[in-house]
């Protein structure tokens, strides 16, 4: 009798577990087709086309695993990048990129990846990057050394490719919002961006990146389908509230100092200056242009990529000053909540 009872208990546990599993919906797969072109010396070095295709398949298995696992259950899809070794080129990687982007077949593939294992031609660069051309996303993996790099073997390579694929899915370089303290003449403060693969390839996906990747999952060519997507994410308005001892501070000065990508610095003088109203608030309009195409006055002549990546916000109350940061991704997050206002509070 005890054995029969035990069997029923085990069966109940099994059925309960099965029911829980059945309740968990299987995620829809969002698949993107990668047209890979690789340099002939590299393909030959790694055993010829047949072996190279095997290595490519293994590489993308690692890429897909890292991509999906790094969302920690927040993705609404199972994402899959499927490579095809479409061509082997003999010559400059830059020439190969120009050739295959001009004749790219969107009916068969979704993005172009150019792999260069050895710098054997003039002008070949070592940096990984993802750019766009007529709506086509192009990931270039380059080597600036006269030695073969094994992109298939080391963890840093496939994780770096995941970062570049993040650009294909329309996520910006989060690391570009950083500010180094020695380059901040206003208050000497360092700004470290949030944790995200678009900050460091070894990180996990931020909620910001997850929102973008989920929102555009159904698009095979987001750069072509949503050409103004990044700019559209910015809130239309920013409201900054300044408090002193918990109460609104009237007639406080609020300065916005722009921060540049590439140089990771803060620029003086202040890009914009405001005065708080009776409610201790300032209302900033034209936010999209303020970040993406900042007009004069006080726009520096050298502004990489033509935009501010961050703002250092300074509130002034007599001799006292208080500070906050407004990196672009923070001002874009209200978009995913259906809001058009970003609100910031600074307290004395």
């Amino acid at each position: 009798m005890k054995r029969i009872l035990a069997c029923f208990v085990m069966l109940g546990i099994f059925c309960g577990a099965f029911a829980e599993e059945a309740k968990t919906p299987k995620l829809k797969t969002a698949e993107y087709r990668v047209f890979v072109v690789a340099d002939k010396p590299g393909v030959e070095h790694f055993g010829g086309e047949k072996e190279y295709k095997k290595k490519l398949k293994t590489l993308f298995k690692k890429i897909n695993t890292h991509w999906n696992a790094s969302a920690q259950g927040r993705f609404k899809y199972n994402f899959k990048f499927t490579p095809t070794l479409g061509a082997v080129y003999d010559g400059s990687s830059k020439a190969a990129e120009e050739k295959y982007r001009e004749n790219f077949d969107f009916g068969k593939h979704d993005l172009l990846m150019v792999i260069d294992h050895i710098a054997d031609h003039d002008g070949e660069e070592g940096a990984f990057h993802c750019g766009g051309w007529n709506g086509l996303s192009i990931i270039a993996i380059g080597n600036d050394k006269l030695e073969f790099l094994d992109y298939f073997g080391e963890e840093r390579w496939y994780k770096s490719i995941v970062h570049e694929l993040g650009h294909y899915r329309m996520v910006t370089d989060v690391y570009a919002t950083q500010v180094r303290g020695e380059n901040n003449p206003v208050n000497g403060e360092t700004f470290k961006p949030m944790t995200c693969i678009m900050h460091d390839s070894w990180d996990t996906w931020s909620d910001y990146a997850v929102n973008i990747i989920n929102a555009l999952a159904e698009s095979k060519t987001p750069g072509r389908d949503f050409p103004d997507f990044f700019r559209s994410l910015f809130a239309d308005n920013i409201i900054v509230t300044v408090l002193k001892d918990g109460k609104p501070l009237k007639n406080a000065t609020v300065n916005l100092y722009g921060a540049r990508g590439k140089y990771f610095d803060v620029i003086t003088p202040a890009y914009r200056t405001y005065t708080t109203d009776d409610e201790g608030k300032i209302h900033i309009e034209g936010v999209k242009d303020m970040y993406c195409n900042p007009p004069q006055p006080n726009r520096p002549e050298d502004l990489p990529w033509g935009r501010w990546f961050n703002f250092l916000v300074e509130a002034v109350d007599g001799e006292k000053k208080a500070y906050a940061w407004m990196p672009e991704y923070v001002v874009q997050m209200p978009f995913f909540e259906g809001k058009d206002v970003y609100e910031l509070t600074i307290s004395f």
Side-chain angles (χ1 to χ4, degrees), residues 82-340:
T82 303
T84 297
L85 181 61
V88 177
Y89 66 89
D90 192 4
S92 165
S93 57
K94 287 193 173 183
E97 180 179 323
E98 292 175 4
K99 174 183 176 181
Y100 290 102
R101 77 182 186 188
E102 290 281 356
N103 301 296
F104 194 80
D105 185 351
F106 283 104
K108 294 181 179 179
H109 306 283
D110 304 314
L111 72 152
L112 172 64
M113 179 180 288
V114 182
I115 302 179
D116 190 11
H117 288 275
I118 186 168
D120 51 354
H121 292 83
D122 292 339
E124 293 183 331
E125 300 174 352
F128 285 27
H129 70 269
C130 179
W133 183 82
N134 282 0
L136 170 63
S137 292
I138 306 167
I139 294 177
I141 302 172
N143 179 10
D144 58 2
K145 300 177 182 179
L146 282 171
E147 60 184 62
F148 289 99
L149 291 184
D150 185 1
Y151 299 126
F152 308 112
E154 295 185 41
E155 183 181 16
R156 59 173 171 157
W157 298 129
Y158 76 79
K159 289 189 173 181
S160 295
I161 294 172
V162 167
H163 174 100
E164 300 306 332
L165 287 168
H167 287 308
Y168 159 57
R169 301 314 304 166
M170 304 294 280
V171 191
T172 191
D173 273 324
V174 169
Y175 70 76
T177 64
Q178 68 182 288
V179 171
R180 295 171 181 156
E182 64 269 22
N183 297 335
N184 178 359
V186 178
N187 67 347
E189 185 177 316
T190 292
F191 176 78
K192 183 180 179 181
M194 64 180 174
T195 296
C196 186
I197 283 174
M198 304 311 288
H199 175 209
D200 186 325
S201 300
W202 268 258
D203 282 336
T204 54
W205 291 115
S206 62
D207 286 343
Y208 169 75
V210 167
N211 282 332
I212 292 174
I213 293 167
N214 279 333
L216 302 181
E218 299 284 352
S219 171
K220 302 286 189 180
T221 54
R224 186 167 63 161
D225 297 339
F226 305 95
D228 198 37
F229 180 75
F230 179 76
R231 186 176 183 277
S232 73
L233 292 178
F234 283 98
D236 293 323
N237 307 273
I238 294 174
I239 295 177
V240 179
T241 303
V242 181
L243 302 176
K244 183 176 182 179
D245 298 326
K247 298 178 181 180
L249 181 59
K250 180 182 177 181
N251 292 329
T253 298
V254 178
N255 296 312
L256 267 61
Y257 296 92
R260 299 185 298 179
K262 184 179 178 179
Y263 300 115
F264 312 123
D265 60 0
V266 172
I267 296 297
T268 56
Y271 179 64
R272 292 288 182 267
T273 296
Y274 305 86
T275 302
T276 58
D277 61 18
D278 291 347
E279 297 180 339
K281 300 179 183 295
I282 67 166
H283 185 182
I284 304 171
E285 299 178 299
V287 176
K288 290 176 170 59
D289 284 334
M290 188 177 77
Y291 276 88
C292 292
N293 186 30
Q296 293 294 355
N298 296 331
R299 169 178 169 154
E301 190 172 313
D302 183 6
L303 186 63
W305 298 284
R307 77 183 204 249
W308 295 120
F309 284 77
N310 199 345
F311 279 101
L312 175 60
V313 186
E314 177 185 65
V316 183
D317 175 30
E319 297 298 316
K320 296 180 179 180
K321 297 178 180 179
Y323 295 91
W325 294 96
M326 292 196 307
E328 53 191 10
Y329 57 79
V330 167
V331 182
Q332 290 178 328
M333 282 299 284
F335 175 90
F336 300 104
E337 299 174 5
K339 300 176 182 177
D340 64 358

